[in-house]
Amino acid sequence: MELKPEESLGFQVRRCHRAFERALNEQLAPHGITAGFWGFLRALWQENGATQKRLSQLNNVTEPTAVTTLNAMAKAGLIDRRRNAEDRRKLNVHLSPKADGLKGELMPIASRINAIAADGISAEELHTTLRVLRRMAENLSREAREDAA
Protein backbone atom coordinates (compact mmCIF):
# COMPACT_ATOMS: atom_id res chain seq x y z
CA MET A 1 0.00 0.00 0.00
CA GLU A 2 1.34 3.40 -0.98
CA LEU A 3 0.89 6.29 1.42
CA LYS A 4 1.31 9.57 -0.41
CA PRO A 5 2.83 12.39 1.65
CA GLU A 6 -0.19 14.64 1.09
CA GLU A 7 -2.37 11.89 2.63
CA SER A 8 -0.04 10.95 5.49
CA LEU A 9 -0.95 12.25 8.95
CA GLY A 10 2.61 11.80 10.17
CA PHE A 11 4.14 13.60 7.19
CA GLN A 12 1.74 16.54 7.43
CA VAL A 13 2.09 16.90 11.21
CA ARG A 14 5.90 16.77 10.91
CA ARG A 15 5.83 19.30 8.06
CA CYS A 16 3.72 21.64 10.18
CA HIS A 17 5.95 21.09 13.22
CA ARG A 18 9.04 21.97 11.20
CA ALA A 19 7.38 25.18 9.97
CA PHE A 20 6.50 26.17 13.54
CA GLU A 21 10.03 25.35 14.69
CA ARG A 22 11.61 27.47 11.94
CA ALA A 23 9.34 30.41 12.80
CA LEU A 24 10.05 30.03 16.53
CA ASN A 25 13.81 29.81 16.03
CA GLU A 26 13.79 32.91 13.86
CA GLN A 27 11.75 34.93 16.36
CA LEU A 28 13.38 33.63 19.55
CA ALA A 29 17.02 33.87 18.41
CA PRO A 30 17.34 37.60 19.20
CA HIS A 31 16.41 36.71 22.81
CA GLY A 32 19.05 33.97 23.03
CA ILE A 33 16.39 31.26 23.10
CA THR A 34 16.12 28.22 20.82
CA ALA A 35 13.00 26.28 19.90
CA GLY A 36 14.51 23.44 21.93
CA PHE A 37 14.43 25.63 25.04
CA TRP A 38 10.93 26.89 24.28
CA GLY A 39 8.97 23.82 25.38
CA PHE A 40 10.86 23.65 28.65
CA LEU A 41 10.32 27.34 29.34
CA ARG A 42 6.60 26.96 28.62
CA ALA A 43 6.39 23.98 30.96
CA LEU A 44 8.31 25.78 33.72
CA TRP A 45 6.14 28.88 33.40
CA GLN A 46 3.26 26.52 34.22
CA GLU A 47 5.04 24.24 36.73
CA ASN A 48 8.13 26.01 38.08
CA GLY A 49 10.04 23.52 40.23
CA ALA A 50 8.97 20.45 38.22
CA THR A 51 11.31 17.48 38.24
CA GLN A 52 13.47 16.67 35.24
CA LYS A 53 11.37 13.55 34.68
CA ARG A 54 8.16 15.58 34.68
CA LEU A 55 9.65 18.05 32.21
CA SER A 56 10.63 15.21 29.88
CA GLN A 57 7.04 13.94 30.03
CA LEU A 58 5.54 17.38 29.41
CA ASN A 59 7.81 17.86 26.39
CA ASN A 60 7.42 14.29 25.11
CA VAL A 61 11.18 13.72 25.00
CA THR A 62 13.40 11.08 26.55
CA GLU A 63 14.98 11.82 29.90
CA PRO A 64 18.51 11.97 28.40
CA THR A 65 17.27 14.53 25.85
CA ALA A 66 15.69 16.56 28.64
CA VAL A 67 18.93 16.47 30.64
CA THR A 68 20.94 17.67 27.63
CA THR A 69 18.53 20.55 27.00
CA LEU A 70 18.37 21.48 30.68
CA ASN A 71 22.18 21.46 30.89
CA ALA A 72 22.28 23.97 28.03
CA MET A 73 19.57 26.06 29.69
CA ALA A 74 21.53 26.08 32.95
CA LYS A 75 24.67 27.17 31.09
CA ALA A 76 22.63 30.00 29.51
CA GLY A 77 21.50 31.13 32.98
CA LEU A 78 17.84 30.23 32.42
CA ILE A 79 17.37 27.59 35.13
CA ASP A 80 18.86 26.17 38.26
CA ARG A 81 18.41 22.71 39.73
CA ARG A 82 17.79 21.94 43.38
CA ARG A 83 17.59 18.64 45.21
CA ASN A 84 14.06 17.69 46.14
CA ALA A 85 13.54 18.14 49.89
CA GLU A 86 11.51 14.92 50.29
CA ASP A 87 13.45 12.73 47.84
CA ARG A 88 17.10 13.71 47.48
CA ARG A 89 17.43 11.52 44.35
CA LYS A 90 15.17 13.91 42.43
CA LEU A 91 16.18 17.25 40.97
CA ASN A 92 13.67 20.07 40.75
CA VAL A 93 14.17 22.62 38.00
CA HIS A 94 13.50 26.29 38.72
CA LEU A 95 13.45 29.27 36.41
CA SER A 96 16.06 31.92 36.94
CA PRO A 97 14.80 35.49 37.31
CA LYS A 98 16.10 36.08 33.76
CA ALA A 99 13.95 33.25 32.33
CA ASP A 100 10.95 34.22 34.41
CA GLY A 101 11.20 37.74 33.04
CA LEU A 102 11.24 36.50 29.44
CA LYS A 103 7.65 35.26 29.62
CA GLY A 104 6.20 38.71 28.94
CA GLU A 105 8.44 39.14 25.89
CA LEU A 106 8.17 35.65 24.43
CA MET A 107 4.52 34.72 24.86
CA PRO A 108 3.38 37.46 22.44
CA ILE A 109 5.79 36.00 19.88
CA ALA A 110 4.22 32.57 20.28
CA SER A 111 0.75 34.08 20.02
CA ARG A 112 1.73 35.89 16.83
CA ILE A 113 3.13 32.70 15.27
CA ASN A 114 -0.06 30.84 16.19
CA ALA A 115 -2.14 33.63 14.65
CA ILE A 116 -0.13 33.43 11.42
CA ALA A 117 -0.61 29.66 11.31
CA ALA A 118 -4.35 30.02 11.94
CA ASP A 119 -4.91 32.68 9.28
CA GLY A 120 -8.00 31.87 7.22
CA ILE A 121 -9.03 28.97 9.46
CA SER A 122 -12.32 29.23 11.34
CA ALA A 123 -12.52 28.95 15.12
CA GLU A 124 -14.54 25.75 14.69
CA GLU A 125 -11.88 24.21 12.44
CA LEU A 126 -9.14 25.18 14.89
CA HIS A 127 -11.08 23.65 17.79
CA THR A 128 -11.54 20.44 15.81
CA THR A 129 -7.88 20.40 14.79
CA LEU A 130 -6.69 20.74 18.38
CA ARG A 131 -9.09 18.04 19.55
CA VAL A 132 -7.96 15.67 16.78
CA LEU A 133 -4.25 16.31 17.41
CA ARG A 134 -4.67 15.63 21.14
CA ARG A 135 -6.52 12.41 20.33
CA MET A 136 -3.83 11.27 17.87
CA ALA A 137 -1.13 11.91 20.49
CA GLU A 138 -3.13 9.95 23.07
CA ASN A 139 -3.61 7.06 20.62
CA LEU A 140 0.09 6.91 19.80
CA SER A 141 1.09 7.16 23.48
CA ARG A 142 -1.32 4.36 24.39
CA GLU A 143 0.07 2.19 21.59
CA ALA A 144 3.63 2.82 22.78
CA ARG A 145 2.69 1.88 26.36
CA GLU A 146 0.98 -1.31 25.16
CA ASP A 147 3.99 -2.27 23.05
CA ALA A 148 6.28 -1.70 26.05
CA ALA A 149 4.15 -3.89 28.33
Side-chain angles (χ1 to χ4, degrees), residues 107-122:
M107 288 304 291
I109 291 170
S111 293
R112 191 167 48 256
I113 292 170
N114 275 279
I116 291 166
D119 187 43
I121 303 170
S122 73

Side-chain angles (χ1 to χ4, degrees), residues 42-67:
R42 290 283 312 259
L44 287 165
W45 286 328
Q46 296 294 310
E47 293 185 32
N48 196 21
T51 63
Q52 292 184 159
K53 181 175 183 167
R54 174 72 176 144
L55 291 170
S56 72
Q57 293 166 342
L58 290 170
N59 285 285
N60 197 27
V61 298
T62 64
E63 288 185 57
T65 298
V67 168

Side-chain angles (χ1 to χ4, degrees), residues 5-30:
E6 62 271 10
E7 297 171 358
S8 168
L9 293 172
F11 180 86
Q12 293 301 329
V13 168
R14 186 170 191 280
R15 182 173 174 252
C16 189
H17 166 75
R18 299 285 298 182
F20 269 105
E21 194 167 75
R22 275 192 302 275
L24 264 175
N25 273 323
E26 183 180 303
Q27 296 294 313
L28 297 177

Side-chain angles (χ1 to χ4, degrees), residues 88-107:
R88 304 283 298 155
R89 295 171 296 175
K90 295 180 181 179
L91 286 173
N92 294 90
V93 180
H94 296 269
L95 291 167
S96 70
K98 172 184 174 181
D100 201 30
L102 286 172
K103 183 178 181 180
E105 294 177 52
L106 302 184
M107 288 304 291

